[in-house]
Amino acid sequence: MATVRIGLIGKTNTGKTTFFNAATLGSAEVSTYPFTTKEPNYGVAHVVTLCVCKEFGVKDNPRNSKCINGWRHIPIELIDLPGLIKGAWAGKGLGNQFLSVASQSDALLHVVDASGSVDEEGRLTEPGTGDPLADYYDIEEELVMWFIKLLDRSEDRIIRGLKKGMDLADAMEAVFRGIKVTAQDIRQALSATGLDKKDFENWTPSDDRKFASALREISKPTLVVANKMDLDTAPENFKRLRDQLVDKIVVPSSAEAELILRRAEQKGLIRYIPGEEKFEIIKGASLTDRQKWALNFIKTKILDEYMRTGVQFALNVTVFKLLKMNAVYPVYDVQKLSDHKGNVLPDVYLMPDGATVEDLAREIHSDLAKGLLYAIDARTGIRLPASYKLKDRDVLSIVSSSKKRS
Ligand SMILES: Nc1nc2c(ncn2[C@@H]2O[C@H](COP(=O)(O)OP(=O)(O)O)[C@@H](O)[C@H]2O)c(=O)[nH]1
Ligand SMILES: [Mg+2]
């Protein structure tokens, strides 16, 4: 598992680029015109999890991540997609571009404008007049159509694979591999729909759709971000989204508020750690009346009401709940919990659910995997076999004949 990639999708003007900028504090353009985001933006964001340093009572020197007040900030990649219009899958607008970027994502954040300030075409309009639930379904339909099209187009190829004696999931894997869909995802979708028991050549269009929907769900876990919660028209829509999308996690957010807080923090005006439920104005900071008003607004309208702006929370939930990633700390020396240079708890790796010591070794270095013997659990000193399934917050040293330990 290389760096976790999360793609932002949703209609134009729902706040994807603002979310991206807030999460990455980069400088992707923010625009009110459809389609000005022509090229996808890649940026580094972080997910935050309780660091193991406190439990072990050590002062750490992180290298591939940061530790702030005992919280590990682990880098992930965020991709900001260009805007979408209805029918994009048919090749209109920026369809192909959207698909190529969505295809690179491990999970998706579907941003909707909970305040109802965008119309069906993604143009800014009177708050309260837009319908975020309809927008959500429009975009979902684009995604499912994308999978159906891929399946349709590759029917002959899949049948050729079957005739060569491949099983259906393996024959399909070649078709979907390019969009980060695994044979395991396919197997899961086949069994969830019962289509593993039906001859592929006899699939009806409604079977295609059933399978495509299941595969879309399984291969691209998606969290719904109900954005612009700072506007008065938002709470009602948020409730509707949460009530209707029962099998989805819907996170209320104000990307704009997060962007303001992170910028103020960067300028040294406030103390604020992303994801925290509070900020503090730094003594002696000279704030304009407008800044004071904005910060007070964020405090009363967002933080007091929803506890957080939702930006950091959405990323954390996506990585740790939807993707079920575990944070694992490899060390060289189990006594000092350090690498060979003495850096304490230097690295943390995000490993998917079910990943083993062997997977971790491969992730760190191919040489380490080649001569892999076992790992040592830093908490207990117990030897863990190469097949041991990693758990969240594991701290371990990998012992390999080709390269002593890492
Ligand atoms: N009130 C409010 N406005 C927001 C929020 N997030 C984004 N916006 C505004 O919505 C408009 C579109 O934002 P943008 O990030 O460009 O949307 P994108 O097209 O989805 O990338 C801009 O005017 C933003 O300032 C938010 O949380 N609250
Ligand atoms: Mg944008």
Side-chain angles (χ1 to χ4, degrees):
M1 187 90 209
T3 309
V4 177
R5 285 220 181 107
I6 299 179
L8 288 158
I9 60 166
K11 287 207 174 164
T12 308
N13 285 323
T14 53
K16 298 181 297 299
T17 301
T18 307
F19 187 107
F20 176 90
N21 288 340
T24 63
L25 208 62
S27 54
E29 66 179 334
V30 178
S31 157
T32 55
Y33 306 100
F35 307 143
T36 40
T37 317
K38 291 210 182 68
E39 296 298 325
N41 299 303
Y42 296 77
V44 176
H46 292 83
V47 288
V48 183
T49 178
L50 189 67
C51 185
V52 293
C53 65
K54 284 214 172 121
E55 180 199 333
F56 282 90
V58 294
K59 168 85 192 74
D60 51 2
N61 322 93
R63 293 181 334 146
N64 80 346
S65 45
K66 291 179 286 189
C67 184
I68 304 174
N69 299 341
W71 293 87
R72 261 304 156 120
H73 294 236
I74 309 169
I76 57 156
E77 206 172 276
L78 208 55
I79 317 178
D80 184 21
L81 306 169
L84 258 187
I85 51 165
K86 265 187 166 177
W89 55 271
K92 277 193 256 162
L94 294 167
N96 295 336
Q97 209 171 356
F98 151 63
L99 300 179
S100 81
V101 180
S103 65
Q104 302 167 45
S105 301
D106 299 303
L108 301 171
L109 290 176
H110 187 159
V111 182
V112 295
D113 180 337
S115 73
S117 315
V118 298
D119 69 13
E120 211 188 344
E121 308 297 334
R123 281 181 296 252
L124 284 177
T125 179
E126 186 68 25
T129 61
D131 182 351
L133 193 61
D135 290 345
Y136 170 83
Y137 287 123
D138 280 350
I139 298 291
E140 266 307 305
E141 179 62 12
E142 307 281 345
L143 283 164
V144 172
M145 282 309 300
W146 174 39
F147 279 82
I148 293 178
K149 262 191 90 179
L150 265 171
L151 190 62
D152 261 0
R153 221 171 36 208
S154 318
E155 210 178 298
D156 293 343
R157 190 169 159 202
I158 294 168
I159 290 171
R160 275 200 304 278
L162 291 172
K163 291 202 166 126
K164 275 191 227 151
M166 292 170 107
D167 85 348
L168 182 54
D170 287 332
M172 283 181 164
E173 199 253 357
V175 170
F176 290 104
R177 186 171 32 211
I179 62 167
K180 268 198 165 185
V181 173
T182 64
Q184 198 194 330
D185 294 334
I186 295 169
R187 286 211 168 81
Q188 231 178 302
L190 285 170
S191 84
T193 52
L195 286 164
D196 48 349
K197 294 183 195 70
K198 186 165 178 181
D199 192 350
F200 179 66
E201 291 190 52
N202 296 332
W203 282 22
T204 63
S206 105
D207 290 333
D208 286 0
R209 174 169 277 273
K210 237 170 43 185
F211 173 73
S213 308
L215 190 58
R216 175 262 168 279
E217 279 307 316
I218 291 162
S219 65
K220 307 283 171 185
T222 302
L223 182 126
V224 181
V225 175
N227 194 36
K228 308 196 189 179
M229 289 305 293
D230 50 281
L231 296 178
D232 289 339
T233 47
E236 200 181 317
N237 279 322
F238 168 61
K239 191 174 172 306
R240 209 156 57 92
L241 286 160
R242 214 183 37 192
D243 291 348
Q244 296 291 316
L245 307 176
V246 283
D247 56 352
K248 284 274 167 296
I249 301 176
V250 184
V251 170
S253 100
S254 174
E256 193 118 292
E258 181 71 12
L259 191 57
I260 290 170
L261 290 177
R262 290 207 192 185
R263 284 192 173 141
E265 193 276 336
Q266 260 203 338
K267 284 188 196 137
L269 300 173
I270 63 170
R271 246 185 294 278
Y272 174 65
I273 297 171
E276 277 199 356
E277 295 165 14
K278 58 183 186 330
F279 64 85
E280 205 182 301
I281 293 173
I282 285 174
K283 272 203 196 83
S286 59
L287 295 169
T288 64
D289 283 347
R290 213 184 132 71
Q291 283 169 327
K292 271 186 216 152
W293 181 86
L295 289 173
N296 187 52
F297 181 84
I298 290 169
K299 186 183 173 304
T300 53
K301 277 275 185 166
I302 299 292
L303 298 180
D304 290 352
E305 195 83 10
Y306 301 101
M307 283 155 32
R308 47 178 95 87
T309 70
V311 170
Q312 189 57 57
F313 186 68
L315 294 173
N316 292 350
V317 171
T318 302
V319 166
F320 295 114
K321 284 250 159 47
L322 290 186
L323 289 173
K324 301 192 185 71
M325 291 281 168
N326 292 321
V328 180
Y329 301 73
V331 296
Y332 171 78
D333 185 320
V334 278
Q335 253 74 52
K336 295 198 186 103
L337 303 178
S338 70
D339 60 14
H340 60 281
K341 289 188 186 126
N343 295 306
V344 175
L345 297 170
D347 297 327
V348 57
Y349 283 74
L350 290 173
M351 299 299 292
D353 193 36
T356 61
V357 162
E358 192 179 351
D359 295 325
L360 178 64
R362 211 176 298 119
E363 193 66 39
I364 296 168
H365 202 287
S366 56
D367 282 350
L368 196 65
K370 259 181 230 147
L372 175 63
L373 298 171
Y374 53 85
I376 300 172
D377 183 333
R379 285 191 184 82
T380 59
I382 287 171
R383 278 192 188 190
L384 306 168
S387 63
Y388 167 82
K389 285 204 171 69
L390 300 164
K391 291 200 303 287
D392 194 41
R393 302 165 59 75
D394 268 347
V395 181
L396 41 84
S397 175
I398 290 173
V399 183
S400 165
S401 61
S402 55
K403 206 178 171 201
K404 278 266 168 72
R405 275 185 205 173
S406 178

